[in-house]
């Protein structure tokens, strides 16, 4: 909008494009709610107060809030391409995404980054990108690509690239690893996201001193408070597998700590969960139910995130801000009655109906290439005492347990133990890591997926080698996805042909197919409190405590080394 037009529209001398009348304005700048009209011109808020114009919408006293911001998410983890994912965020009031495409980058490198940038171009949402910092996440696994500072540099000229994605390599930071420092230097002056579960003391101070400015891995209030004191903004996560909001906000409310350096995020959340309850809107409901002031909660879901990521024209309702707005029926359940992007109403249903895509060609759609797999490759390492990965319900953290060699057959038969394997699937190296899993709950058969953070090798869990091999074969055939097998027969498969991570289906079809597979997994005995696929996908991530499995074997995250 021309500055003169802005001034004249604000003065009431020129007509706005649209006036939202009789709103109860949720003012995150002052922490209050007050009655007002909002005048919009050229997608920007021209004035707040008493306005009229040729086009008006009477909100009838509904609550008008700034469009919500998801401060950290991996679109690939929804299993949907951006054109299918974004309508589901928009329908619940999210108008801005801060995305980290490190999932597809671990599979396809720079080609994957370019693919998602192209796929998200022109969508009616602010789709920002933090470039992946750790591809692969560690040197203890094989990913599909390696991204150094040199490979990342060309993407800095992209307008929608904000900064550097979650820096998972704390040991590299502490050791002043030249490759890590080169990336930090490349992104000097930009926002660097962190990934530091459990980091405290001088290690946390060093991490902040390196330039890390956000973190989404806190699981307790004490951990979050330490990071806030170190100058690291806390992105409060509530996803499908990691649910940390209650623990963090209960502590913050109890101690009366300012939340201005805290924002909401989903990190990893299934599309079905987003469609049912939203991401940031769901966080608002939970926060208010815990006793947080509703306007403060909305600020965490909008203004705070905009300020943390240096987006000065987003996150509030005032002259000069973009007219990204959401209309709520109330400030308790946060039922959404309308969403505006750049001053235009959003029809999420129409966008979702038009979100399908024909399967494409190129490396993104030919990414599942394991070496031939045999039963011999699935044999457990010969140990008198086997380490065991123990799942914690409602968390993506694990505990390290153990079992004696002679007790393994009886525990497998009883269903308390299951075999887990991670198969390298990018370069047909033949690397296979094999271990034991406790707490998953599958009665009989095998579950497999190519969604295995962050290197996205093929991960399998089951009680017998025949079904594990069948699951691996099925996932190779469909070029990635989720599958459930019993007695050598495929019970169900959800194909994810885009990098083995994402479907080309419209959102409604995809969520329907996923729900069918989730039902099958529950019927097969996967334990309550365990997401059959999201939880599984994190068991290969060697940067989350305590014990993980990569294609090179069991990995002790606390000691940061392979068990063997």
């Amino acid at each position: 909008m021309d500055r003169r037009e802005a001034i004249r529209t604000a003065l009431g001398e020129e007509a706005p494009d649209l006036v939202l009348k009789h709103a109860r304005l949720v003012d995150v700048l002052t922490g209050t709610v007050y009655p007002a009209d909002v005048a919009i011109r050229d997608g920007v808020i021209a004035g707040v107060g008493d306005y009229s114009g040729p086009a008006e919408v009477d909100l009838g006293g509904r609550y008008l809030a700034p469009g919500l911001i998801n401060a950290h998410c991996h679109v690939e983890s929804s299993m949907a391409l951006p054109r299918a994912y974004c309508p589901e965020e928009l329908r619940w009031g999210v108008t801005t995404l801060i995305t980290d495409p490190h999932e597809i980058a671990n599979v396809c490198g720079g080609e994957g980054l370019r693919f998602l940038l192209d796929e998200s171009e022109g969508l009616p949402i602010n789709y920002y990108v933090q470039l992946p910092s750790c591809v692969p996440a560690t040197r203890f696994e094989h990913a599909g690509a390696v991204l150094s500072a040199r490979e990342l540099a060309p993407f800095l000229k992209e307008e929608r690239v904000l900064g550097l994605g979650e820096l998972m390599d704390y040991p590299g930071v502490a050791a002043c690893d030249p490759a890590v420092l080169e990336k930090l230097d490349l992104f000097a002056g930009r926002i660097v996201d962190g990934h530091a579960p459990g980091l405290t003391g001088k290690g946390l101070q060093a991490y902040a001193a390196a330039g890390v400015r956000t973190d989404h891995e806190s699981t307790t209030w004490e951990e979050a408070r330490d990071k806030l004191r170190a100058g690291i903004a806390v992105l409060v996560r509530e996803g499908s597998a990691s649910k940390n909001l209650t623990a963090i906000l209960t502590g913050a409310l109890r101690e009366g700590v300012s939340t201005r350096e805290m924002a909401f995020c989903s990190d990893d959340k299934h599309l079905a969960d987003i469609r049912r309850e939203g991401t940031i809107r769901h966080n608002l409901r939970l926060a208010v139910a815990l006793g947080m002031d509703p306007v403060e909660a909305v600020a965490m879901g909008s203004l705070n995130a905009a300020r943390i990521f240096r987006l000065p024209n987003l996150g509030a309702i005032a002259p000069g801000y973009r007219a990204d707005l959401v209309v709520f029926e109330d400030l308790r359940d946060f039922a959404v009655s309308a969403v505006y992007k750049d001053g235009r109403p959003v029809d999420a249903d129409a966008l979702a109906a038009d979100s399908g895509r024909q399967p494409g060609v190129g490396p993104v759609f030919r990414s599942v290439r394991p070496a031939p797999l045999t039963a011999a490759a699935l044999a457990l390492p010969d140990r008198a005492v086997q380490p065991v990965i123990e799942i914690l319900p409602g968390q993506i953290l694990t505990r390290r347990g153990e079992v004696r060699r002679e007790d393994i057959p009886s525990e497998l038969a009883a269903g308390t133990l299951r075999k887990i394997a991670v198969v390298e699937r990018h370069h047909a190296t033949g690397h296979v890591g094999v271990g034991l899993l406790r707490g998953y709950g599958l009665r009989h058969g095998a579950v497999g997926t190519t969604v295995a953070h962050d290197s996205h090798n093929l991960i399998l869990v089951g009680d017998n080698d025949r079904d594990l091999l069948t699951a691996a074969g099925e996932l190779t055939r469909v070029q990635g996805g989720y599958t459930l097998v019993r007695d050598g027969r495929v019970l169900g498969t959800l194909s994810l042909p885009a990098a083995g991570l994402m479907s080309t289906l419209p959102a409604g079809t995809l969520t329907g197919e996923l729900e069918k597979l989730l039902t099958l997994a529950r019927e097969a005995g996967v334990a309550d409190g365990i997401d059959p696929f999201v939880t599984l996908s994190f068991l290969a991530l060697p940067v989350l405590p305590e014990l993980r499995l990569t294609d090179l074997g069991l990995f002790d995250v606390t000691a940061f080394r392979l068990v063997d």
Side-chain angles (χ1 to χ4, degrees):
M1 181 166 47
D2 176 85
R3 193 180 303 277
R4 290 178 181 82
E5 292 177 346
I7 293 170
R8 289 168 184 159
T9 305
L11 288 170
E13 297 173 354
E14 293 188 10
D17 299 328
L18 175 67
V19 178
L20 300 178
K21 299 283 292 183
H22 307 129
R24 278 192 269 185
L25 193 146
V26 181
D27 184 15
V28 294
L29 298 171
T30 64
T32 60
V33 177
Y34 64 91
D37 305 330
V38 176
I40 299 168
R41 184 164 179 177
D42 292 340
V44 176
I45 296 169
V48 176
D50 183 9
Y51 285 91
S52 60
E56 298 181 351
V57 175
D58 189 345
L59 297 186
R62 293 180 178 86
Y63 294 89
L64 183 65
L68 304 177
I69 299 175
N70 192 338
H72 177 77
C73 64
H74 306 285
V75 171
E76 308 98 299
S77 295
S78 74
M79 303 180 299
L81 292 172
R83 67 180 64 192
Y85 177 87
C86 291
E88 304 313 311
E89 288 274 29
L90 284 162
R91 75 171 67 250
W92 292 110
V94 170
T95 55
T96 299
L97 303 174
I98 311 296
T99 72
D100 182 344
H102 74 202
E103 315 296 358
I104 197 169
N106 270 279
V107 178
C108 304
E111 290 177 314
L113 298 181
R114 173 52 53 197
F115 175 77
L116 279 192
L117 282 167
D118 290 346
E119 286 285 314
S120 59
E121 183 71 37
L123 294 174
I125 198 166
N126 303 316
Y127 193 108
Y128 293 111
V129 172
Q130 294 282 94
L131 291 177
S133 65
C134 297
V135 177
T138 72
R139 65 183 185 277
F140 303 104
E141 58 191 324
H142 291 99
V146 176
L147 288 182
S148 67
R150 176 178 295 180
E151 281 79 39
L152 294 176
F155 291 96
L156 285 177
K157 67 178 183 294
E158 298 285 341
E159 184 179 0
R160 291 184 287 136
V161 168
L162 298 181
L164 189 64
E166 52 185 299
L167 186 55
M168 294 177 280
D169 189 4
Y170 166 72
V173 173
C176 295
D177 182 286
V180 174
L181 296 186
E182 186 179 6
K183 290 176 185 175
L184 289 170
D185 289 342
L186 178 65
F187 287 84
R190 296 181 183 239
I191 293 297
V192 177
D193 284 331
H195 174 112
L199 189 61
T200 60
K202 291 182 177 177
L204 178 60
Q205 300 301 304
Y207 199 56
V212 173
R213 287 295 171 260
T214 80
D215 180 86
H216 58 276
E217 291 291 341
S218 295
T219 59
T220 68
W221 164 238
E222 290 73 23
E223 181 180 355
R225 184 181 57 198
D226 285 350
K227 288 170 181 172
L228 290 169
R229 289 173 174 173
I232 295 175
V234 169
L235 309 182
V236 181
R237 174 176 59 188
E238 191 76 7
S240 289
S242 299
K243 302 179 185 297
N244 312 130
L245 183 149
T246 297
I248 293 172
L249 291 191
T250 298
L253 291 168
R254 182 180 63 247
E255 297 186 15
V257 172
S258 169
T259 58
R260 67 178 178 272
E261 287 298 308
M262 300 169 71
F264 288 128
C265 75
S266 63
D267 197 8
D268 295 290
K269 193 162 187 176
H270 266 320
L271 196 66
D273 293 337
I274 298 173
R275 173 164 271 221
R276 182 176 61 254
E277 64 192 14
T279 54
I280 307 309
R281 172 263 183 179
H282 178 60
N283 293 13
L284 300 184
R285 290 175 60 202
L286 294 178
V288 171
L290 290 172
M292 177 172 281
D293 175 76
V295 181
E296 183 180 10
V298 172
M300 283 187 63
S302 55
L303 182 65
N304 294 10
R307 288 180 169 173
I308 289 166
F309 285 94
R310 301 173 187 169
L311 300 169
N313 62 343
L314 295 178
I317 303 176
Y321 282 78
R322 289 175 71 169
D324 296 349
L325 306 164
V326 55
V327 181
F328 292 121
E329 294 289 339
D330 57 59
L331 296 183
R332 183 185 65 257
D333 292 329
F334 294 93
V336 174
S337 62
V339 178
Y340 292 84
K341 178 70 186 76
D342 294 322
R344 296 183 179 89
V346 173
D347 187 341
D349 287 335
L351 289 170
D354 193 36
S355 65
R357 184 189 194 280
Q358 291 296 317
V361 296
V364 170
F365 291 90
R366 297 193 308 271
S367 67
V368 183
R369 303 181 296 269
L373 187 63
T374 65
L378 297 175
L380 285 165
D382 185 18
R383 300 185 181 100
V385 177
Q386 290 279 3
V388 176
I389 301 171
E390 295 186 347
I391 295 175
L392 302 176
Q395 298 289 341
I396 56 175
L397 304 179
T398 67
R399 271 196 307 259
R400 177 172 177 164
E402 61 181 35
V403 61
R404 295 180 302 175
R405 178 194 292 139
E406 58 269 27
D407 294 333
I408 293 174
S410 62
E411 286 211 41
L412 283 170
T416 54
L417 279 184
R418 287 292 171 256
K419 185 182 284 189
I420 180 171
V422 175
V423 181
E424 194 280 325
R425 61 105 160 175
H426 305 289
H427 308 292
T429 63
H431 289 285
V432 181
V434 183
L436 292 168
L437 182 66
R438 182 176 284 136
Y440 187 68
L442 182 69
R443 283 191 297 271
H444 175 54
V447 174
T449 179
T450 50
V451 182
H453 303 291
D454 277 337
S455 291
H456 297 293
N457 287 305
L458 202 157
I459 187 165
L460 308 165
V461 170
D463 67 337
N464 69 92
D465 291 346
R466 177 193 179 193
D467 286 342
L468 293 172
L469 292 170
T470 301
E474 170 69 356
L475 291 172
T476 302
R477 182 186 71 82
V478 300
Q479 282 299 291
Y482 294 162
T483 193
L484 183 64
V485 172
R486 183 187 300 139
D487 296 327
R489 183 170 65 90
V490 176
L491 301 182
T493 297
L494 175 62
S495 175
L496 304 174
L501 302 174
M502 292 169 286
S503 170
T504 57
L505 296 172
T509 307
L510 173 58
T511 54
E513 293 299 310
L514 176 60
E515 289 295 343
K516 291 178 186 176
L517 204 59
L518 289 171
T519 299
L520 285 174
R522 292 291 179 212
E523 291 172 351
V526 175
D528 290 338
I530 302 295
D531 187 291
F533 300 105
V534 174
T535 301
L536 184 61
S537 70
F538 280 99
L539 296 179
L541 181 55
V543 293
L544 289 175
E546 295 179 343
L547 192 63
R548 304 283 152 164
L549 182 69
T550 77
D551 63 306
L552 295 182
L554 283 167
F555 187 76
D556 185 326
V557 181
T558 304
F560 212 71
R561 61 176 177 82
L562 291 165
V563 172
D564 291 330

